[in-house]
Amino acid sequence: LLQRGLADLHASTDEPALKAWNTRYFGPTGEVPAATKKVATLPPPERKGYGQEANRVKEALSQAYEQSLATVKEAALLASLNANPLDVTLPGRRGPLGRPHIASRVLRNIYSVFADMGFQVYRSREVEDDLTNFELLNMPPHHPARDMWDTFHTTTPGVILRTHTSPGQIHVMREMVPNPIRVILPGMVYRYEQVTTRSEMQFHQVEGLVVGEGITMADLKGTITSFARRMFGQERQIRIRSSYFPFTEPSIEVDIDWPKEDPNADRLTKGTGWLEIMGAGMIHPTVLRNGGYDPDRVSGFAFGMGPQRITMLQYAIDDIRQFWSNDLRFLRQF
Ligand code: PHE
């Protein structure tokens, strides 16, 4: 049995053949169990010798089987490696790494410039009421200045999407009164407008609000000048033009000059040399009062800018819709 078993085993050269061999010799009706069982039919004196011999054969065959199986498996593995060569020393492929959106990068830049001047970031709601977005900012119902902001209304009367970050002024003041305030309020605003390359129905604004004793227009000018220089270069000059907003008095618009060395300067400034970056002004006494402050004791200034507009100018982006279109070809440029 041993000789025959070994000869059969060596004739089995792959895994299925070896498995078949195993069944034939070691299966429930296999030859090895059959031979072992024979011990019972022998006269007692012969049983011990036969049993020992049977065990020896069984051991030898099962060891030879395990060995053949291992050899065949290893050969199969080697063959498959040779068929599909795999260079385990090659460096791995790097997965794509995300990065902050250009709009987020610009916002963070603005935060850090204002943080250095002692401003805190205050977040205010995007779903507002008419009262806070307009009335408390000195625009009663039917005030013609409301036309400056085309508004998204909801199906709930009086509930709207904020058209600017200025209603945040009211929330901050009511929370902080009677303490002095120095905050910026960044976030998304919404306008019911035709979407074109130049106007989107949603975009970011960053509002600034300072309230305290003895705050003057000079503080506003100084703050904006520092911001403009940190953001756009130490050489920047600002220019102030008279303007109108219902919630500031006096109201201004702020321009910065653009480096003449920049070949885009003429195109950006349309030949004037100046770029508009924000609206601003001294907080209207009515607004201070609506925020809980006494306009005879404190004063303040506010400003509001649109970072997307500024970013478009800086990077010569000619279509504002790129910001929220999630086109990787656009996003990867920054
Ligand atoms: N809220 C104004 C706008 O959306 C900007 C502004 C803010 C003007 C604060 C003055 C003061 O155009």
Side-chain angles (χ1 to χ4, degrees), residues 137 148-149 163-167 169 189 191 203 205-208 244-248 250-253 276 278-283 301-305:
L137 292 175
M148 290 164 74
W149 298 274
T163 58
H164 51 174
T165 43
S166 299
Q169 293 185 24
V189 302
R191 302 255 173 108
F203 53 92
Q205 277 194 343
V206 178
E207 188 92 3
Y244 172 74
F245 299 102
F247 33 91
T248 45
S251 300
I252 59 171
E253 269 165 291
E276 184 193 324
M278 63 173 79
M282 301 307 292
I283 303 169
F301 65 76
F303 55 82
M305 61 180 128

Side-chain angles (χ1 to χ4, degrees), residues 194-241:
Q194 183 71 44
V195 175
T196 69
T197 53
R198 298 165 51 85
S199 71
E200 252 288 14
M201 58 187 181
Q202 61 173 89
F203 53 92
H204 285 143
Q205 277 194 343
V206 178
E207 188 92 3
L209 178 70
V210 173
V211 177
E213 283 176 27
I215 304 286
T216 70
M217 194 81 160
D219 298 306
L220 172 57
K221 276 176 75 175
T223 304
I224 294 174
T225 306
S226 295
F227 166 72
R229 295 195 172 152
R230 279 282 307 274
M231 202 68 192
F232 305 108
Q234 283 304 315
E235 267 69 61
R236 298 283 64 73
Q237 300 290 325
I238 69 165
R239 181 176 80 166
I240 284 173
R241 285 177 289 111

Side-chain angles (χ1 to χ4, degrees), residues 44-95:
E46 287 172 31
R47 284 187 191 171
K48 189 174 173 207
Y50 183 90
Q52 281 173 348
E53 183 63 10
N55 270 335
R56 205 174 58 78
V57 170
K58 185 175 163 186
E59 272 304 301
L61 282 177
S62 96
Q63 256 180 37
Y65 171 73
E66 294 300 336
Q67 214 168 52
S68 299
L69 194 61
T71 312
V72 160
K73 277 187 170 169
E74 197 170 324
L77 179 63
L78 255 169
S80 107
L81 282 177
N82 285 332
N84 310 293
L86 173 72
D87 184 350
V88 294
T89 67
L90 275 178
R93 275 188 210 99
R94 211 175 268 282

Side-chain angles (χ1 to χ4, degrees), residues 142-160:
H142 310 300
H143 191 291
R146 288 185 174 219
D147 286 353
M148 290 164 74
W149 298 274
D150 296 302
T151 310
F152 276 114
H153 295 268
T154 69
T155 48
T156 311
V159 176
I160 61 169

Side-chain angles (χ1 to χ4, degrees), residues 150-194:
D150 296 302
T151 310
F152 276 114
H153 295 268
T154 69
T155 48
T156 311
V159 176
I160 61 169
L161 299 185
R162 66 177 176 188
T163 58
H164 51 174
T165 43
S166 299
Q169 293 185 24
I170 300 293
H171 294 297
V172 184
M173 286 194 269
R174 289 186 169 180
E175 195 176 310
M176 301 284 278
V177 68
N179 300 299
I181 299 172
R182 187 161 48 180
V183 296
I184 53 171
L185 302 103
M188 198 63 91
V189 302
Y190 303 86
R191 302 255 173 108
Y192 183 50
E193 270 173 36
Q194 183 71 44

